[in-house]
Amino acid sequence: MTALRLALTELRRVTAGRLPRAALATLVLVPTLYGGLYLYANKDPYGNLDRVPAAVVVEDAGTTLANGERLEVGDQVATSLVDSRSFDWHRVTQAAARTGVEGGEYDFAVIVPKEFSADLASSAEFTPRQAKLQVVTNDANNYLARTIANQVAAQVTKSVASQVSSTAANQLLTGFTTIHGKVADAVDGAGTLASGLADADRGARELATGAGSLRAGQEKLLGGTRELSSGATEAASGAERLATGAGALGSGLATLDSRTSTLPADTRRLAEGAQQVADGNARVAEAGRQVAAASKDLASTLTSAQGDLADRLREAGFTDDQVQQVLAAATRASGPIEDANARVQTASGQLDRLSSGAAQVATGADRLAAAAGPLQTGIHRAATGSATLSTGADDLASGNRALAAGATKLVAGQEQALSGASRLGTGANKLADGLDQLSTGAASLRDGLAKGLKSIPDPSADQRKAVAQTLGNPVGVQANSLASAASYGAGLAPFFLSLSLWIGAYVLFLLLKPLSSRALATGQPSWRTALGGWLAPALLGLVQAVLVFAIVTRGVGIDVARPLALIGYLVAVSATFVMVLHALAARFGAPGKFLGLVLMVVQLVSAGGTFPWQTLPEPLHPLHHVLPMSYAVDGVRRLMYGGSLAPLALDLAVLLAWFVAAFAVATWAAHRAGRWSALRIKPELAI
């Protein structure tokens, strides 16, 4: 029994009734339904974006440029978006836009803020601010809407940047025209500058001569200033000594004035007291003269009384001795009286002299009292004048000190002035030399500006417009694709064609047996049994590949660069996938079918069918390089888009390696299946 007969036998088994034939037809159409419907639904989603509702809000207040031009980019952005019909644009207010995005009326909103134009023009004022568009999205409406909105914002930003760059470039080129005119004026000004510098040079020479005369005068003035400083210092010292003496005099006179303030009254009282003393002394002297006269009379009386006493004693009968004794006693008794009389007479003379002196003192005191008033007035005036003299002397000393300090500063200033005059002379000479060079440089500047004027462009309005457009958008994109997909669906087609063939191969083994029981029972060779078990689903897989190719190319309308080669490659891919799933089912039975599903999921994430495989996480890179679907996708891309066929050899080699390895596993499984066991008779899991 050949492998082909085994395959035909299996096909007759699964087509023995109406329902089995319908089930088989359904299994054959699974890749077509999966690949065709998915690619049909995603053939060109970008071509239908004009049905997606979106809001645009313009709050831009605009701005006025330096040249007076009005810049209102916000309205231009909104107009260009609405006119492009890239989406179903609605121009609304910000509140309506946010409410619409929140409620699902709009998928997203683009908001142009109030300062948008002003921020765009801010660079011209050297206060650059980045203008920002606001994009409002809601992933609850559609996740991809956010990505699309960001792409729209990026495109609008690029367009606005190009427009603003063109405007700025136009202003720059306009500035060239202005510069051309200003440089022409500068040429004339340079000529005037050269002439003026020649005059300035002559003036600098005269300045140098005058600076020499100024220095000589400053030297004389410095000598006089030094003499003034010396004299002012000496005057300040004398004024200070005068102030010290005047202060001492004032202090003494003030003391004298304060102590003689009562002198007139005191001398008057003294004069009056002296007069009273003189009057009293006169009375005392008169009384003394009277006492002296009485004392003299008493002494005379005592002397004459002694003679009378002796006569009376003799007459009384006293003897001469007794009389002498009595007289002697009387003489002794009269002695003190004589002494007292002598003293009284002396005292009387003294009292007379005292009275005369007191009279003279009273007269002098009277004259002193008369002179004390004018004396005290003079002392008071002298004290007041000395205080004024002291104050004036202090002021004179202070002024002289200030004069001396000022004279010292004046000397220092004159020395600086002399130094400055010297530097002025030196600087004037240097200025004259520099002006000579400057005059030469000004002439060179005039000639250079005249030459440079010829090099400065003076573009016309049309030239400025053309150059501004080029500067505003200096880089263009010229598409030159070696191989390109015509649409989004065409870009996904290689991945979903490969995936559909895996799914088609997977569902075939839901109905077909991987190994023929008859072949196993009759002891057919293992390789023949394995080949026969693969051949029937492989033939059905060929039909699946042809059908899915026809639907994708004819029904969906995806163009293929190499259709015949692609059909052949899809058949090879289907045969390989069928062999891999056949080996899993043959070796592991029902768990093998589960492993086939797991292997499909692993290849979904590692094949690189949507994004470049390099973007996968590092742990998935080995899976991409080993699993067959990666090479199936790569081969379909090259045959569908028309790329280089050189890598196709590696793709076919890897698929062949998987085919051979799977066939070896299936052969080994057929060999094992020839031996019956309890587990095989009653498996734990059967599908």
Side-chain angles (χ1 to χ4, degrees):
M1 181 178 293
T2 64
L4 180 60
R5 290 190 63 184
L6 291 176
L8 293 175
T9 301
E10 181 65 15
L11 289 175
R12 282 195 297 270
R13 184 186 70 79
V14 296
T15 57
R18 181 180 300 175
L19 186 60
R21 286 195 295 272
L24 182 61
T26 301
L27 294 178
V28 170
L29 291 175
V30 165
T32 302
L33 292 173
Y34 181 81
L37 287 177
Y38 192 91
L39 292 177
Y40 174 75
N42 294 277
K43 177 184 178 182
D44 189 15
Y46 293 102
N48 298 322
L49 290 178
D50 58 346
R51 303 174 188 172
V52 176
V56 57
V57 180
V58 178
E59 295 184 337
D60 183 23
T63 187
T64 301
L65 301 177
N67 60 1
E69 181 182 350
R70 187 68 182 168
L71 183 65
E72 294 179 347
V73 182
D75 288 331
Q76 298 175 15
V77 169
T79 301
S80 63
L81 288 177
V82 174
D83 293 344
S84 69
R85 300 185 182 277
S86 55
F87 293 89
D88 184 16
W89 290 104
H90 299 268
R91 187 164 177 175
V92 296
T93 63
Q94 181 171 169
R98 292 186 179 276
T99 302
V101 174
E102 179 72 23
E105 182 180 358
Y106 307 119
D107 277 15
F108 63 90
V110 176
I111 301 175
V112 184
K114 181 177 180 181
E115 302 82 6
F116 192 73
S117 293
D119 290 342
L120 287 174
S122 61
S123 296
E125 303 170 359
F126 296 98
T127 56
R129 301 182 300 277
Q130 187 179 35
K132 294 184 180 297
L133 288 174
Q134 298 177 11
V135 179
V136 181
T137 60
N138 185 355
D139 287 354
N141 296 332
N142 191 303
Y143 173 74
L144 289 179
R146 176 172 58 174
T147 302
I148 296 172
N150 290 333
Q151 292 296 325
V152 171
Q155 187 63 34
V156 171
T157 301
K158 180 180 179 181
S159 175
V160 170
S162 176
Q163 177 184 354
V164 173
S165 297
S166 298
T167 302
N170 189 36
Q171 292 179 346
L172 175 64
L173 294 173
T174 302
F176 273 119
T177 301
T178 304
I179 292 172
H180 187 277
K182 296 300 182 183
V183 171
D185 294 339
V187 171
D188 297 335
T192 304
L193 175 63
S195 177
L197 287 173
D199 295 338
D201 183 34
R202 289 191 294 272
R205 297 297 179 186
E206 295 176 359
L207 176 62
T209 302
S213 301
L214 175 62
R215 187 178 185 282
Q218 287 291 342
E219 289 176 348
K220 295 180 181 179
L221 182 59
L222 177 60
T225 305
R226 286 172 175 166
E227 293 178 359
L228 174 62
S229 175
S230 177
T233 302
E234 293 177 359
S237 299
E240 289 175 351
R241 291 193 297 272
L242 175 61
T244 302
L249 177 61
S251 177
L253 288 174
T255 303
L256 181 61
D257 180 39
S258 63
R259 294 185 179 181
T260 59
S261 59
T262 59
L263 182 61
D266 292 341
T267 54
R268 176 52 55 193
R269 287 194 297 272
L270 177 61
E272 292 175 355
Q275 187 61 47
Q276 292 176 357
V277 170
D279 292 343
N281 285 335
R283 288 192 295 272
V284 170
E286 180 62 28
R289 283 192 298 272
Q290 292 176 0
V291 170
S295 175
K296 184 177 180 180
D297 290 342
L298 177 60
S300 297
T301 301
L302 286 176
T303 301
S304 62
Q306 285 181 356
D308 290 337
L309 178 58
D311 289 339
R312 288 177 181 177
L313 287 176
R314 283 186 184 102
E315 290 177 353
F318 286 91
T319 63
D320 287 334
D321 291 331
Q322 290 178 333
V323 171
Q324 288 299 325
Q325 290 178 352
V326 171
L327 288 174
T331 299
R332 288 193 298 269
S334 64
I337 292 175
E338 288 293 339
D339 292 336
N341 178 51
R343 286 194 295 271
V344 168
Q345 292 302 322
T346 301
S348 177
Q350 291 176 345
L351 288 175
D352 288 338
R353 288 193 299 272
L354 177 61
S355 176
S356 177
Q360 292 176 354
V361 169
T363 301
D366 184 64
R367 288 197 299 271
L368 176 61
L375 175 62
Q376 202 280 329
T377 301
I379 292 173
H380 179 70
R381 290 178 179 176
T384 304
S386 64
T388 304
L389 174 62
S390 177
T391 303
D394 286 334
D395 293 341
L396 177 61
S398 177
N400 282 328
R401 284 194 297 270
L403 177 61
T408 301
K409 292 181 179 179
L410 181 59
V411 169
Q414 288 299 328
E415 290 176 346
Q416 293 178 356
L418 177 58
S419 176
S422 299
R423 291 195 299 272
L424 176 61
T426 303
N429 289 322
K430 291 182 180 179
L431 174 62
D433 295 337
L435 286 173
D436 286 338
Q437 298 175 0
L438 188 59
S439 179
T440 303
S444 300
L445 173 64
R446 177 194 59 206
D447 298 337
L449 286 174
K451 292 180 181 179
L453 180 62
K454 299 177 182 179
S455 302
I456 297 176
D458 186 17
S460 64
D462 293 338
Q463 289 174 329
R464 290 197 300 269
K465 182 178 179 181
V467 175
Q469 290 176 348
T470 303
L471 290 176
N473 191 15
V475 179
V477 178
Q478 182 178 0
N480 185 15
S481 177
L482 299 177
S484 61
S487 64
Y488 177 76
L492 294 178
F495 175 63
F496 283 101
L497 282 174
S498 301
L499 182 60
S500 66
L501 293 178
W502 183 278
I503 294 174
Y506 178 82
V507 298
L508 288 175
F509 287 100
L510 296 178
L511 183 62
L512 300 176
K513 293 181 179 180
L515 298 175
S516 173
S517 300
R518 182 179 176 182
L520 294 173
T522 57
Q524 295 292 326
S526 299
W527 65 269
R528 185 179 297 171
T529 303
L531 184 61
W534 166 80
L535 189 56
L539 293 174
L540 295 176
L542 184 150
V543 177
Q544 289 178 335
V546 173
L547 286 177
V548 74
F549 174 82
I551 291 298
V552 168
T553 56
R554 301 297 180 184
V556 180
I558 294 178
D559 295 330
V560 177
R562 299 182 178 91
L564 295 180
L566 180 59
I567 291 176
Y569 191 75
L570 290 176
V571 171
V573 170
S574 176
T576 302
F577 288 173
V578 169
M579 180 58 78
V580 171
L581 292 168
H582 169 256
L584 291 175
R587 173 63 184 87
F588 299 105
K593 298 177 182 180
F594 175 74
L595 290 176
L597 182 62
V598 172
L599 191 58
M600 181 188 71
V601 174
V602 173
Q603 293 182 106
L604 279 176
V605 298
S606 64
T610 53
F611 293 96
W613 68 268
Q614 291 86 351
T615 62
L616 296 173
E618 288 287 342
L620 296 180
H621 285 194
L623 295 177
H624 171 79
H625 291 299
V626 171
L627 296 178
M629 192 177 292
S630 303
Y631 300 92
V633 172
D634 183 72
V636 174
R637 279 183 182 146
R638 297 185 180 281
L639 294 172
M640 179 173 285
Y641 304 153
S644 173
L645 298 181
L648 195 63
L650 176 62
D651 298 334
L652 290 171
V654 173
L655 292 176
L656 179 61
W658 272 92
F659 183 90
V660 171
F663 180 69
V665 172
T667 302
W668 182 51
H671 174 71
R672 287 173 55 88
R675 290 175 291 182
W676 296 87
S677 63
L679 183 61
R680 181 182 171 195
I681 295 172
K682 189 176 182 180
E684 294 180 349
L685 178 64
I687 299 178

